[in-house]
Amino acid sequence: MILILISTLSFAALAQDSDETAEQFTHTSWTSKDGVPGMVQALAQTPDGFLWLGTYEGLFRFDGASFDHIPVAKDHPPGSIPVSALLVTRAGQLWVGYAGGAGVEVMRRGRLERAGMPGAPGEVTMIVEDKDGAIWVVGGRGRKALKRFADGKWKSINERWGVPEDEAVSAVLAARDGTVWLATQTQVFFLRHGSTRFEATGLMISNGAGLAQDRTGRIWLSDAQGTKALPDFLAGAKAPLSVPAKGTDRTARRISLLFDRHGDLWGSTYTDGVFRIDRPGGAYAGPPSYFRSPDGLSSNEAVALLEDREGSIWVATEMGLDQFRRSNIERIPLLTSGSAEGFMLAADDRGDMYLTNGSRLWRSVPNGDPKFLLDLHDDIQALCRVRGGIWVAQKGKASKIEDGRITATVSWPDGKSVSSCGEDRDGKLWFARPAGNMLYREGAGWRQANLPSRRTPLDIFFDWRGAIVGSLSRKSVIVLDGPRTINLPESSLGVAGLTTVFGNAKGLLIGGGTGLARWDGHRIQRISIADQPWLRGVRGIVQNETGDTWLITNKGIARLTTTDLDRAFDNPAAPIPHDIFDEQDGFTSRTQNSQGLQVAIGGDDRLWFLTRQGVLRIDPSRLERNRIAPSLAIRSVAADGKLYPFSDEIRLPAGARNISIQYTALSLAIPSRVRFRYRLQGFDGAWIDPGQRRQAFYTNLAPGTYTFDVIAANNDGVWNQKGLSFRITIPPTFVQSRAFIALCIAIALLSLWLLYRLRLHTIAQRLRVRLSERLAERERVAREVHDTLLQSIQALILKFQLAVDEIPAELPVHGTLESTIDLAEEVLAQGRGRVRDLRITESGDDLERMINDIVQRLVFPSGTSVRITTVGEPASLNLIAADEIARIANEAIFNIWRHAQATQVGVRIAFSQTKLTVSFKDDGVGIPEEILKAGYRAGHYGLRGMRERAGRLDAELSLSSSIGTGTELTLTIPAKVAYARPPRRLFLFRGRQGESVD
């Protein structure tokens, strides 16, 4: 919504003497620039709060911010678009009347449906509902065009009902007692409740008359001859012989009437704007006050009137839509020019309020309105309250006024101007003078006060004890307390641009351009605009006996409780509950820049405020407050640019990314003050405060079901906490579905498994390479030893043997050499054994045979039984792994042979799909506990060597033993390392008896 015009007005003041004042209204106008369709002719409001407009372009609804077009019924006659009449029944049903012969349609389930009216008139001008729920339809442009719909049937109201067929009907009124009143072109008829025939009243009227019923039940009629209450025709009263020609303008034609909830009568004239009569009484209403195009009305062609549920009056015109709302601020119609000093005010101790403008003085007694008092001919420079009355200061002199009369006059020798005045607790009269000093009257003479600086004194105030408080050049505040003078500069107060002071029991409240300060005689506290921006430019402060503090600022008039204000000085950053009355409440001008009080309280507790353009008044006991919480509606839901019908559950297409939700609140009083909060449960963690924005946006929402909640507050902060909620479901796309996620997880797990297998393969391959290199190196060493060293030693032994053979046997040296040759052959045998050990494994195809060979070479004692058992399907071993296994087995069996003293030795070989296990068990003497803990015997390397070899195979080697019960050594090797190729099937676990060696 765009505000085209906001004006505060007093209807009565437009047509009557300026001393009189009446209710104040704020006027707002919408035209085509704001989206208003052309020629608004009818208005209605449904229970949900929407304002409905019948226009030349069709039916529209208005939520305070935008105008939405409503399509006609499916079988609507082509070309008949203009809507000329609207009705909302007591059941909340909307009836729509058309021009162009289209008849009537009814809103059902959110869509218009044809009402089946036979013989539709050329233009439906009015639709009303009577006490019994019957619908009356007026075709005001032609004759025989009054119809009634009841019990599902249409009836024409004609001469059989007592209605003349040669006259068009101007208006129909269904009274609360069931009577139906009828105004034709020339006369008035009524139909008693339950009757089927109208009765003529004999009252002759002008064409285009309007009818309305007031709160007492009286029927009022307005036409070109005037506005009047009808006699009690139902009780037999007769029509008057003549009608006074007063009231409505004679040029008026086609009048609509409306009584508002306060009892005021409103009328639209079709030719001369709108009029209002303040609570008409008696038989005839007084002259109405008008509001026309020059006053801001969108057009003088005003057609329809409506009072909405919040109390605003709406006017439909050919050019737009107008709203009149009662304002909490009343503008006093005093003169607004003629004074360079601006407006001034002061209240005497009787509660009379005095107002000045230029040289003129007005007085308002409690519960009254300002009345002109006198003209002092020279501009008034200051106004102040004193005992028994007020002082009015002019250049060089001052006059005391008591009970409306001048009772004393004083003057000062230099005749200079003053800017403010006041009387202290001792009765001394003080004047602040722009010349740079302050004078006070003592006895019959004048004395000058000693000021702490050369700054210019501008204003005089008082503290809670009645001591004089002065404002110096708006830079500091001084307190003249007897012989003491206390200076409070703005640097100490923390407020710049000091403009006003108010004294109460807790100290001084000091206002200025940047906030408020409080001085209690000892310390200074402050509230800055950095924490409370609404306190910018405080120009006046007053506190009343009901516990409220009122301030006038550049932004408007603020009200808060005095308790909240006192609490705020202790915690200035915390939010302060307050109300602001600004231009939308009738604050039509900014604060003055002149000296003196800018706000005062009269004896009736009404507050008076001064602005640059006039005097404003607020009655705290009659503040209008909108207590109706706004209803909420969803205007549209869109996803990726496509609109979806609204319902409690909306299912969007899979993969919807950009979601837009347009919501609204139906509070029409001041739409710009409506506040919203929303949240999307499942996405938003807390309420979102968008201020006045009526749209929510979400992008890239995950699939799922969400609940959208929205709440709103009206212009006075009354929240609809229940709000409105609906569910939004976004199905997942395939890539967002659980199946896809499960597939991704499976692929990820498979990838990890493959990576793991690849890692195992890589490790095994590296082990094989390293073991192959070692095996190749051992074989090379074995060949070199065998082909060089051992062969050379063998040749030497042969040569020595030949030499020995030449030496006689009886010589001692022969025996010595023979012994030496035997020792050399023994060494050669050991060398061959070591070479054989280097090449212990020739093949990995038969692990059992390889272990059996080791057992056979060691030659166990005859009392020792060795049993080798194989479990599972034997598999070919990796040659490198087989070599390491053989060496571990060789060491294990050798240790049993050498140390165990066992009678039973068991070797168990277990082939499985995941591992190869070889265990060696005996029933010998066991291994001491200290060796088990250490993991080796000092000076021996057999156990450590086996663990090192197992580590190279990525295998596990475990050892368990106890003294006297034997020892068990188990070697477990992963299948990937042990086997020459991966197993192709599960092993069949079976055992076969091994060979026994005795």
Side-chain angles (χ1 to χ4, degrees), residues 937-998:
R937 186 191 299 268
H940 295 258
Y941 302 97
L943 287 175
R944 281 190 289 188
M946 285 190 288
R947 285 196 172 92
E948 291 172 358
R949 294 181 186 279
R952 288 195 290 267
L953 293 174
D954 198 21
E956 180 181 345
L957 185 70
S958 62
L959 178 65
S960 62
S961 179
S962 59
I963 299 299
T965 60
T967 302
E968 183 174 5
L969 177 74
T970 303
L971 175 67
T972 305
I973 311 141
K976 279 291 185 179
V977 178
Y979 303 139
R981 61 183 62 87
R984 295 182 181 177
R985 58 186 176 86
L986 291 176
F987 291 99
L988 300 175
F989 288 94
R990 59 183 179 82
R992 75 179 182 186
Q993 188 68 37
E995 296 182 8
S996 179
V997 180
D998 296 327

Side-chain angles (χ1 to χ4, degrees), residues 367-394:
N367 300 310
D369 292 318
K371 301 293 182 182
F372 176 73
L373 187 62
L374 53 87
D375 191 336
L376 297 177
H377 304 295
D378 293 326
D379 280 350
I380 298 171
Q381 296 179 341
L383 200 65
C384 56
R385 175 178 180 169
V386 297
R387 292 178 177 87
I390 64 167
W391 280 97
V392 180
Q394 297 169 282

Side-chain angles (χ1 to χ4, degrees), residues 798-853:
L798 289 175
K799 288 182 179 183
F800 274 108
Q801 186 64 51
L802 292 174
V804 171
D805 288 345
E806 295 294 330
I807 298 173
E810 62 273 6
L811 291 178
V813 69
H814 185 277
T816 301
L817 290 175
E818 284 288 351
S819 299
T820 302
I821 291 172
D822 291 342
L823 181 60
E825 288 179 345
E826 184 178 343
V827 170
L828 181 61
Q830 290 179 356
R832 287 196 177 99
R834 290 301 179 185
V835 170
R836 185 175 63 252
D837 289 343
L838 286 174
R839 306 182 69 171
I840 192 171
T841 306
E842 300 292 339
S843 172
D845 293 338
D846 193 344
L847 180 58
E848 182 178 324
R849 184 185 60 79
M850 182 174 61
I851 293 176
N852 187 57
D853 289 345

Side-chain angles (χ1 to χ4, degrees), residues 168-383:
V169 175
S170 298
V172 173
L173 172 67
R176 292 188 293 273
D177 63 358
T179 304
V180 177
W181 294 85
L182 191 69
T184 66
Q185 291 174 296
T186 61
Q187 55 186 315
V188 176
F189 298 83
F190 65 91
L191 177 70
R192 298 178 187 271
H193 186 228
S195 175
T196 58
R197 187 168 183 83
F198 282 88
E199 302 174 39
T201 63
L203 179 65
M204 305 307 293
I205 59 174
S206 300
N207 185 26
L211 296 168
Q213 185 178 26
D214 66 16
R215 290 182 293 185
T216 67
R218 290 185 302 175
I219 307 301
W220 288 76
L221 180 141
S222 184
D223 62 3
Q225 302 178 64
T227 301
K228 51 194 168 290
L230 298 183
D232 191 357
F233 290 122
L234 274 74
K238 301 299 182 181
L241 297 177
S242 61
V243 177
K246 59 168 65 175
T248 314
D249 193 310
R250 288 182 178 275
T251 63
R253 57 188 182 91
R254 191 180 171 188
I255 296 173
S256 295
L257 292 181
L258 169 71
F259 275 99
D260 66 20
R261 64 188 62 186
H262 295 277
D264 296 343
L265 179 62
W266 296 73
S268 63
T269 65
Y270 197 76
T271 56
D272 201 26
V274 295
F275 67 85
R276 173 180 166 272
I277 301 174
D278 184 18
R279 298 174 179 84
Y284 298 100
S289 53
Y290 278 81
F291 194 76
R292 304 180 174 93
S293 294
D295 305 308
L297 195 69
S298 58
S299 171
N300 274 345
E301 189 173 312
V303 183
L305 297 169
L306 172 75
E307 182 182 29
D308 68 19
R309 62 182 183 177
E310 295 170 293
S312 298
I313 303 299
W314 295 85
V315 180
T317 77
E318 63 161 340
M319 296 300 293
L321 183 65
D322 296 79
Q323 179 201 48
F324 295 93
R325 179 174 47 83
R326 277 180 166 79
S327 171
N328 287 316
I329 298 177
E330 184 180 7
R331 185 177 181 185
I332 307 302
L334 299 176
L335 294 177
T336 58
S337 62
S339 173
E341 305 296 334
F343 295 96
M344 301 177 191
L345 58 73
D348 65 16
D349 49 13
R350 298 183 359 173
D352 293 351
M353 186 65 64
Y354 290 84
L355 305 162
T356 70
N357 184 320
S359 63
R360 307 184 73 189
L361 183 67
W362 283 262
R363 181 177 69 165
S364 175
V365 300
N367 300 310
D369 292 318
K371 301 293 182 182
F372 176 73
L373 187 62
L374 53 87
D375 191 336
L376 297 177
H377 304 295
D378 293 326
D379 280 350
I380 298 171
Q381 296 179 341
L383 200 65

Side-chain angles (χ1 to χ4, degrees), residues 650-656 701-705 728-734 736-737:
I650 298 177
R651 187 175 180 86
L652 299 178
L701 290 176
T705 298
I728 299 174
T729 299
I730 305 176
T733 61
F734 172 71
Q736 296 172 323
S737 65

Side-chain angles (χ1 to χ4, degrees), residues 48 122 166 178 279 311 376 418 447 518 527 542 571 580 683 707 776 802 820 823 861 889 918 928 944 981:
D48 57 11
D166 58 346
R279 298 174 179 84
L376 297 177
V418 300
R447 301 191 65 176
R518 183 173 70 181
I527 304 173
V542 72
N571 187 12
I580 294 289
F683 182 80
T707 299
L802 292 174
T820 302
L823 181 60
V918 182
R944 281 190 289 188
R981 61 183 62 87

